[in-house]
Each structure stands twice: as structure tokens, then as C-alpha cells.
Amino acid sequence: MSFTIYLTRHGQTILNKYRRFQGWCDAPLTDQGIEDAKKAGQRLKDVQFDFAYSSDSPRAIQTRDMIIAENQFKAPETHELPNFREQSFGYFEGADSGHIWTMVGLPHGCITYYEILDKLGAAATRDLLHEADPWGDAEDDQTYWNRIAAGFEYLKEHHGNGETLLLVSHSLTIRTIVDHFAPEYNATVNGPKNGSVTKLVVDDHGKISVEYYNHY
């Protein structure tokens, strides 16, 4: 069953630049974001990928394809997996993140995202945002993790024999994955940069380990 995943964050988008919530909604890559993707491709140009995955968000698909374009080997088959989308922020999609976290956190004595994280932890922070969403569409922690876990089960069912995969995903999704399998990286606080690469190894028993995180 063993295989390797190069888990990469998409390039910077307009909403990233202006520090706005960007989960299931999408925005174009900035010039910096295009450069992020090209640089990631250069860092991975000597890796021969058997398959290339991304979430089904256009920013992730574009980054994936730009990484493949930089690779020296034959382009692999590509697929989109919705399981590795960013967290859904529901009603808060596109909103100024600082303003929303202050609104959500203030009743709990917190005014920033990192204060909420420090006081409540990542799982409770997701649940808090879900509870604050008047439409109830922001993902709660269990729903969010269940779809990510299902994504890994899909990969385990379809890959093995030492294959090498590219998987382009998103900041909080990468943080959540790394925090789950290697909490020593403190990924919930030290988030991955746009275009950064994290290497995961899935062994013959299906155990997932993090070989490195947030290489940029």
C-alpha cells in the first residue's frame, strides 16, 4: 500500500492578499500566486509523479497544472478530489477575517483568531464559527475532518506500490492534516505558505506520517 504524497498549498489569490475568508468560494491567483505555483513546480521538477490530484477549487487546479508544467517528466493523469477542499466558511465566505474572528471570539474573551486557537483549540474554533453562522453552513469540526479522512481512504484504496502523488490543497486543510498526524509541527499556528510543500508518507499498513512540513 505504501505511497508518497507531496501536499502543496495553492498560490496566493486576491482574497488571500486582502486577508479575507476563502473556503469553498474562489478567487483568481495574483501575480504573486502564479509565481508561487511556478516556484513550487521548480522545487518539484525532479519528482516523477504517478498521479496529480487537487481539490476541485479552481485556484488549486490552476496551481496543480502549473506545477506539472514545470516538471521534467511526462505529465501524469490528473484528478480533482472535493475531499481536500478548504474548510467551508459558509455565510462568512469573502468576509474580512479579522473582523469576523473578533465578532466570534469576543464573547469568549478573544479578539483574534490566534487568541481563540490558544484558548479553545482548532476543533472548538471550527465549531464556534459553525455556531455563529446564521445559515449553519460553516463546517463544524467533525464534518470537516470526516470528509478529509474519506479522501485519504480513497487514496489508500487506489494507490500503493511505492507510487508518488501530487496533491494541491489549502491552508487550513493542510494545517488540519499535519496537526492530526504530526502535532509536534504546531501547524495550526504556523500555517503553510502559498506554494509550500509538505511531504506525507503512507506505509504498508496505511499509517500516515509527515516527513517534512511547509518547505518553501
Side-chain angles (χ1 to χ4, degrees), residues 23 40 71 73 79 91 99 115 172 176 184 197:
N71 198 270
F73 298 102
H79 297 275
Y91 174 77
H99 292 169
E115 286 180 2
L172 285 175
T176 302
E184 64 272 16
V197 180

Side-chain angles (χ1 to χ4, degrees), residues 65-86:
D65 292 346
M66 292 179 71
I67 290 172
I68 292 170
E70 298 288 331
N71 198 270
Q72 65 166 310
F73 298 102
K74 180 182 177 181
E77 187 175 331
T78 61
H79 297 275
E80 291 81 51
L81 285 178
N83 304 79
F84 294 102
R85 284 180 183 178
E86 183 57 289

Side-chain angles (χ1 to χ4, degrees), residues 11 14-15 17 25 31 38 47 49 52 71 83 92 102 104 140 144 149 154 168 175 177 191 201 205 211:
I14 291 172
L15 291 178
K17 180 178 179 179
C25 71
D31 289 343
K38 289 181 177 179
V47 178
F49 294 111
N71 198 270
N83 304 79
F92 303 113
T102 297
V104 170
D140 62 78
Y144 182 48
Y154 174 91
V168 178
R175 293 187 199 198
I177 290 167
V201 176
H205 304 289
E211 187 165 312

